[in-house]
Amino acid sequence: MTVDHTTAAVVEVLAEPEWRVRRSDHERRVDAWTAPRLERRRRGERHPVDDFLFEYYPYSPGRLRRWHPGHGVALAGAADEWLQSPGYVRTPRGVTTDPVALARLLPAADQVATLLRATAGREARFGCFALHEWAMVYGLSADEVRHAAWPLRLSPAEISEVVEAQRLRCTHFDAFRFYTPAARPLNERQLTRADQVGTEQPGCLHATMDLYKWAMKLSPFVSSDLVADCFALARDVRDLDMRAAPYDLRGLGVEPVRVETPEGRVAFVAEQRRLAERGARLRGALLARIESWQQDAGYDVRRDQRADGA
């Protein structure tokens, strides 16, 4: 299919040698994450930290590995292989993303933008201490927990004491929904999917981790470089999440952040702040991509921001 370049807006053209280098660089970067996952799967092994992003989010290692230059970039030269992927067309300047496919994606992108703007517009809250992981095992015996193959650092009774001594301050529905029934009433707010836009805040580990989900959902119109940056951040978030959890993962080289102690809570917040700062930059980058598409499509982004309450 050939469309006129005025329909498929191109702001950058990559010569074939350049895009091949970029693709190879991306594949090498991603292989460092995906190859161990594939090898563990071949052996029938599981890793509660490193496997999580592949199991929780519906994106395969192969999809993460596939390089995309992003919307507005044309690939010159022998780029016909891209036409086998959804979302691409050939133009006089090279193969690029399909504006018709992007138009179909815009309603979903608008929803993502609404959530990102609302999240970015709130003050970051620190001090949840990853107690959502504790709330997911609260009131359960050691053999009933999600990662029963790994021991707990504390007894069920001690875990209950920590949960009951600290206020549960979770603001992310997709963490809250995994609380045990006994833990849900202890959260300072009863969360629902319907009020997610009204509760997400930028200090939340899971809101930061979800940047990977949104970037991948908007691929191939979001560049794979940005997707990989979001994945790298999500891996670091998951690492802190599980180091603060009540599981004993030292056999995997995962040293705990003992949030049951004052010193551990101080260390946790310091790391949480650094992750939130990285998340703010990537959230801004994603939002800028979406807003550029909205402007190209004739949206009044400032009006939309007022409607969002941002």
Side-chain angles (χ1 to χ4, degrees):
M1 176 180 180
T2 300
V3 298
D4 186 80
H5 72 277
T6 59
T7 302
V10 173
V11 297
E12 182 182 8
V13 177
L14 296 181
E16 184 174 346
E18 183 176 1
W19 64 253
R20 287 190 179 277
V21 168
R22 292 193 188 185
R23 181 176 64 177
S24 295
D25 289 345
H26 170 76
E27 290 172 349
R28 280 193 295 271
R29 181 185 186 189
V30 170
D31 283 348
W33 303 324
T34 60
R37 157 68 174 177
L38 295 173
E39 178 60 23
R40 283 192 300 273
R41 191 166 65 183
R42 186 187 66 80
R43 296 196 303 259
E45 299 174 358
R46 299 187 67 187
H47 193 294
V49 182
D50 291 345
D51 287 338
F52 176 79
L53 297 181
F54 298 107
E55 296 173 349
Y56 181 69
Y57 297 115
Y59 306 118
S60 67
R63 183 170 175 187
L64 178 62
R65 190 177 191 267
R66 184 161 180 78
W67 178 75
H68 300 285
H71 185 61
V73 180
L75 304 177
D80 284 355
E81 62 187 279
W82 303 103
L83 298 175
Q84 307 304 313
S85 298
Y88 282 93
V89 293
R90 176 173 291 286
T91 75
R93 303 182 70 187
V95 172
T96 190
T97 48
D98 182 1
V100 175
L102 178 58
R104 289 196 294 265
L105 184 66
L106 271 178
D110 290 344
Q111 293 178 355
V112 173
T114 296
L115 178 61
L116 295 180
R117 278 195 289 264
T119 303
R122 294 193 178 92
E123 181 179 358
R125 297 178 60 183
F126 304 103
C128 68
F129 309 126
L131 289 177
H132 55 272
E133 290 290 342
W134 298 66
M136 292 177 193
V137 302
Y138 177 76
L140 302 180
S141 64
D143 60 353
E144 292 177 310
V145 301
R146 295 180 70 196
H147 302 291
W150 296 94
L152 295 167
R153 293 192 289 108
L154 292 83
S155 70
E158 291 170 324
I159 289 171
S160 293
E161 289 178 7
V162 172
V163 170
E164 292 162 6
Q166 300 291 329
R167 290 177 59 193
L168 296 180
R169 301 180 175 91
C170 184
T171 57
H172 188 77
F173 174 72
D174 282 318
F176 174 77
R177 67 189 177 98
F178 289 109
Y179 277 27
T180 66
R184 286 176 190 161
L186 303 180
N187 204 56
E188 66 178 7
R189 179 168 181 169
Q190 298 303 292
L191 304 173
T192 67
R193 177 71 69 197
D195 65 9
Q196 185 173 6
V197 172
T199 57
E200 291 280 78
Q201 52 87 18
C204 172
L205 292 178
H206 279 253
T208 299
M209 190 185 303
D210 274 354
L211 293 172
Y212 166 62
K213 174 173 68 175
W214 305 130
M216 186 65 91
K217 183 174 183 177
L218 300 173
S219 181
F221 304 97
V222 166
S223 74
S224 292
D225 291 340
L226 182 51
V227 171
D229 287 344
C230 291
F231 184 88
L233 175 57
R235 289 183 82 248
D236 290 343
V237 169
R238 177 60 176 176
D239 180 70
L240 177 60
D241 211 17
M242 292 306 290
R243 285 191 291 127
Y247 296 99
D248 188 349
L249 303 176
R250 286 174 293 180
L252 296 172
V254 179
E255 290 297 322
V257 177
R258 300 182 186 278
V259 295
E260 65 272 22
T261 70
E263 297 80 8
R265 291 193 288 274
V266 169
F268 175 86
V269 170
E271 291 199 45
Q272 187 182 26
R273 286 182 180 276
R274 285 192 289 271
L275 293 169
E277 290 169 0
R278 290 170 59 191
R281 291 191 292 272
L282 294 180
R283 185 176 292 108
L286 276 173
L287 190 53
R289 301 293 193 281
I290 299 171
E291 289 179 348
S292 72
W293 306 338
Q294 291 174 323
Q295 290 168 351
D296 289 345
Y299 283 74
D300 181 348
V301 176
R302 289 175 296 179
R303 178 204 65 202
D304 295 342
Q305 289 172 340
R306 291 193 295 270
D308 296 339

